[in-house]
Amino acid sequence: MRIDQRRTHWADEQSRTRWVDQAAFHHPRPDLRLGARSHRVERTGGGAYDRIDVRHTVHTSTGDYTLLLNAPDWLGHRLVGEALRDAVAELRAIDLTYGPNQPDSLVSRLRRGEISPDSYPPLADLVDRCAAMRAATDGWFDAWAVPGGFDPGGLLGGWAVERAAARLRAAGIHDYAVLSGADLTVRGHAAHGGPWRVAVHHPTDTRRAPLVLEMTAGAVGTSGVTGRRGHVVDPHTGEPTERLAAATVVGPDLAVADAYATALYAAGPAGLAWFRTGSDYRPLFANHWR
């Protein structure tokens, strides 16, 4: 099943993501591709002469991240380099400090009952976001309904990306893209001066032409593109769910989009009701197993 395309309007800013008419799309290639299992950055040539164009990849135990920065030349290479280091440090710190697979992380200590959620403000924010998404998805995203206790995995990667992106904005960089797997968040413009052109490939049908989005603010979150069945658990039964093969959601914040995609993957078509009441988030794909 594929969800109908529509224009998206965020509540906190003007419309910054639009669907491109595929028949009228004549650009030689998009800037970014979200594929069936990963992301790819296209080589589109050099950027404007008065811009600093940077690409950097970060590897952590919880995922690989690619940061693309398009900064004004007057910021200077030193400041841009410092901003990049800050964003990379944030991604690495979240991996070590909150990763559920890290035995000494705050999440692991919380699971063992050694600390409370309000012991550290960022941990409280992470727990609050998980609780909010549990309510928003009728319990289909439930970080507490997993073996071993609290596990924010379906939201943690997007939360990390958004916190790293906030570091970039704080340093004065407002044109960037941060990608992880089949997820991304973008702001501003690409190196060519126009909106980021994002090709979102169908998660199960490689023969289908990708959908193309032009984005200057927004995020794309996907669940289920690993090709592994049963990797998401139905929080109501504790059993692996196979209602969908993949789910993709677009919206303003990657942590929320990721959580919605995970919940939609678990709930199946019943989860489409979450997006019919003026939500700032929209399903892009919801595909059954073939």
Side-chain angles (χ1 to χ4, degrees), residues 236-272:
H236 300 96
T237 66
E239 298 295 326
T241 180
E242 296 184 357
R243 292 180 178 86
L244 294 177
T248 301
V249 174
V250 297
D253 183 278
L254 182 54
V256 177
D258 260 349
Y260 265 130
T262 299
L264 181 58
Y265 180 95
L272 297 178

Side-chain angles (χ1 to χ4, degrees), residues 124-260:
D125 177 62
L126 180 62
V127 171
D128 287 346
R129 281 173 170 262
C130 288
M133 290 311 302
R134 179 171 59 181
T137 61
D138 303 317
W140 283 100
F141 178 89
D142 191 343
W144 290 266
V146 292
F150 177 70
D151 186 342
L155 182 147
L156 182 62
W159 187 70
V161 166
E162 291 293 354
R163 287 180 64 88
R167 291 289 192 105
L168 297 176
R169 294 194 299 275
I173 297 176
H174 301 283
D175 300 286
Y176 61 80
V178 185
L179 301 89
S180 177
D183 305 331
L184 91 165
T185 189
V186 302
R187 291 293 187 277
H189 297 83
H192 51 68
W196 295 93
R197 298 190 295 263
V198 182
V200 185
H201 288 259
H202 192 279
T204 59
D205 187 354
T206 57
R207 298 169 299 178
R208 185 176 297 182
L211 297 178
V212 179
L213 309 178
E214 288 188 342
M215 306 178 69
T216 55
V220 180
T222 300
S223 180
V225 296
T226 62
R228 295 184 292 113
R229 293 194 179 203
H231 72 288
V232 173
V233 173
D234 182 333
H236 300 96
T237 66
E239 298 295 326
T241 180
E242 296 184 357
R243 292 180 178 86
L244 294 177
T248 301
V249 174
V250 297
D253 183 278
L254 182 54
V256 177
D258 260 349
Y260 265 130

